[in-house]
Amino acid sequence: LIVIGLLGMRARGFPRIFFNRWIEEGAALRICGLPAEEDRYNDKVCQVVGFEDGKVVVELPRQIGGSRLRLRPEHLAPLSIGAIVELRGLATEALNGQVGTIDMVGPPSLCKYHVKLQDGTTKIVKATKLIAKSRLWDLDTTLCPGACLRWRGEQRCLFVDSTGHTRKYAMHLPLNFSEKQKQLSGSGKMRTWPMLLYLHGTGGSSFFGHSKKATKSIGMNHVAEHFFVVSPECDWIWKDRPGAWVTELVLEMRAAVWVDPTRIYLAGCSMGGMSTWEVGAERADLYAAMAPVAAHHEDDRTQHIASRLTNMPIHVVHARSDETCLMRKEEPLWSLLYLNNPRFQLSLAPFVDHCSMFEKALCDDTMIYKWLLQWKRAEGGLSVHVASEFVHV
């Protein structure tokens, strides 16, 4: 796979239709079968924009940066059932611009999709008459923060999960994101950033929406400068497991051109700490390190969580005097991880109540963030420790 620039291009020495009948210039397709080092692009929708040197040039949705990739034909396939599309270029003008989902994929001889529209009707449409849409429905990187952190200054966004339900999340690009990207624009490179997935507690909010006072803290300002932060609106209760859509959101986000897929980190406080255990255990391969703060977990999940996280760098932060998430109930999980995971670390805060742990762990200093940045994913899916001078912030 080769990532190429965003400038327009023409086909060079190739017919308009490739030997795979679906691969036609303008066709809406899906990326598949890429090796592990490029798997961030697997299952992402794309548009064929040309052919070059025996490869198919495709463009990813603008929500994740609009990168163009050169792929072998075998790494492209028809869109999946449920993929979101927009109709275009049809003779019936009223249909153009309408949004629907793929209901059925027609035979290769026809290269057509059955598209179910919002009014319940179904249209049979050629692959070249569709625009494949990102599930990151309204993410807009032109709405960038300036040089200073603002309370609730995140962008509020919608995510359409695989079941078609709309979910809410907040995202915050690093401070001075646009200016820092422009500095590299002449080289044709795009700077990548560590991504922090933050999961809030019961009745909580996005990471930068915790409190106005917290936005002035050293910890939050460090995060605002050095991380791309995604805060799902946790639509479950403290005794439930997180929705599968959170992992789907991460899978979609990691293909963004500005995200470093080897540096995706997971943290949460209280119920969000419980969610950190569960989300991390579900897809440990996605995260470089995780930090549950003032967390709890269900007793019957202890063995499962511990067995799934034996290689995950974990830094638990808890209060000895926590009367909401009792330390003694967490000790069985900690003990298993201590015995089986050499990357497990525990910090205990004295004389701090449960409701003050967010400020204590995530605002008062930068310790937890600098610890996270010591880890990155390497080939084979394991996290490796990197020298502090290598950490690019």
Side-chain angles (χ1 to χ4, degrees):
L1 175 147
I2 303 172
V3 181
I4 66 176
L6 301 182
L7 297 178
M9 60 167 291
R10 303 291 296 177
R12 297 195 307 205
F14 286 89
R16 188 168 184 270
I17 299 179
F18 219 80
F19 60 83
N20 179 330
R21 292 186 62 86
W22 281 97
I23 303 177
E24 184 177 359
E25 192 166 344
L29 298 174
R30 170 177 58 91
I31 300 171
C32 63
L34 293 177
E37 61 270 20
E38 299 293 348
D39 70 347
R40 65 190 291 199
Y41 298 117
N42 283 329
D43 292 320
K44 300 301 173 287
V45 298
C46 62
Q47 218 77 30
V48 176
V49 294
F51 306 94
E52 185 176 288
D53 300 329
K55 302 285 178 60
V56 184
V57 182
V58 301
E59 185 171 281
L60 299 176
R62 62 170 179 78
Q63 286 90 341
I64 55 175
S67 296
R68 289 188 174 185
L69 314 176
R70 290 194 298 180
L71 304 173
R72 294 201 301 268
E74 59 266 32
H75 290 143
L76 291 168
L79 296 173
S80 300
I81 303 300
I84 307 168
V85 293
E86 178 183 330
L87 277 57
R88 65 168 182 180
L90 298 177
T92 305
E93 189 63 35
L95 291 174
N96 293 323
Q98 290 199 36
V99 174
T101 55
I102 301 299
D103 195 44
M104 190 171 77
V105 178
S109 60
L110 298 177
C111 301
K112 292 184 178 181
Y113 296 107
H114 293 237
V115 180
K116 188 174 183 178
L117 301 178
Q118 293 174 311
D119 62 4
T121 61
T122 298
K123 304 296 179 184
I124 301 176
V125 185
K126 281 196 68 176
T128 56
K129 300 296 183 180
L130 297 175
I131 300 173
K133 307 287 285 185
S134 172
R135 293 188 179 277
L136 301 169
W137 191 248
D138 53 355
L139 189 155
D140 187 352
T141 57
T142 65
L143 304 176
C144 300
C148 299
L149 177 61
R150 294 186 299 109
W151 181 46
R152 292 181 177 174
E154 301 117 314
Q155 184 181 154
R156 304 287 166 165
C157 303
L158 299 177
F159 173 70
V160 183
D161 69 15
S162 60
T163 67
H165 288 86
T166 301
R167 311 294 184 173
K168 297 179 181 179
Y169 69 98
M171 76 96 175
H172 190 276
L173 293 163
L175 298 179
N176 281 329
F177 175 80
S178 293
E179 289 301 315
K180 290 176 179 177
Q181 298 296 41
K182 286 177 184 177
Q183 292 171 9
L184 292 176
S185 61
S187 66
K189 298 179 180 178
M190 174 71 77
R191 177 173 176 175
T192 59
W193 303 80
M195 173 175 148
L196 177 65
L197 180 74
Y198 171 73
L199 303 171
H200 65 73
T202 302
S205 64
S206 61
F207 185 78
F208 294 111
H210 180 76
S211 72
K212 195 170 186 178
K213 178 182 177 182
T215 58
K216 300 178 181 179
S217 68
I218 184 174
M220 278 205 170
N221 278 275
H222 183 82
V223 173
E225 184 176 356
H226 299 308
F227 288 83
F228 166 54
V229 183
V230 177
S231 303
E233 187 173 299
C234 302
D235 53 359
W236 53 89
I237 61 175
W238 64 270
K239 60 183 178 180
D240 290 339
R241 296 177 200 169
W245 67 269
V246 176
T247 297
E248 293 179 7
L249 176 62
V250 174
L251 288 170
E252 202 73 20
M253 280 291 187
R254 71 174 181 158
V257 68
W258 63 88
V259 172
D260 181 347
T262 69
R263 293 181 181 275
I264 299 178
Y265 305 102
L266 175 60
C269 188
S270 190
M271 181 190 80
M274 175 277 290
S275 301
T276 296
W277 286 124
E278 292 288 350
V279 170
E282 179 187 359
R283 285 296 303 269
D285 60 303
L286 293 178
Y287 306 100
M290 55 186 274
V293 176
H296 68 90
H297 74 284
E298 294 299 307
D299 292 342
D300 62 355
R301 301 289 289 171
T302 300
Q303 292 288 342
H304 172 78
I305 292 171
S307 67
R308 300 278 291 181
L309 296 174
T310 53
N311 292 308
M312 173 70 71
I314 303 170
H315 193 153
V316 169
V317 184
H318 210 87
R320 292 181 182 274
S321 55
D322 194 324
E323 296 183 354
T324 301
C325 297
L326 300 175
M327 192 174 81
R328 62 177 172 79
K329 296 197 70 173
E330 298 309 297
E331 287 176 336
L333 175 58
W334 298 348
S335 296
L336 283 175
L337 289 167
Y338 180 78
L339 289 172
N340 299 299
N341 184 348
R343 299 166 172 186
F344 175 74
Q345 185 170 330
L346 173 63
S347 295
L348 295 176
F351 315 118
V352 181
D353 63 63
H354 180 79
C355 293
S356 299
M357 282 301 294
F358 180 94
E359 290 84 357
K360 178 67 177 177
L362 302 174
C363 298
D364 288 355
D365 58 46
T366 61
M367 180 272 293
I368 199 71
Y369 309 116
K370 291 180 178 179
W371 179 86
L372 289 171
L373 286 170
Q374 293 178 46
W375 301 95
K376 66 178 293 187
R377 302 297 287 180
E379 289 185 19
L382 294 177
S383 292
V384 295
H385 191 270
V386 293
S388 58
E389 62 266 22
F390 182 77
V391 176
H392 176 57
V393 293

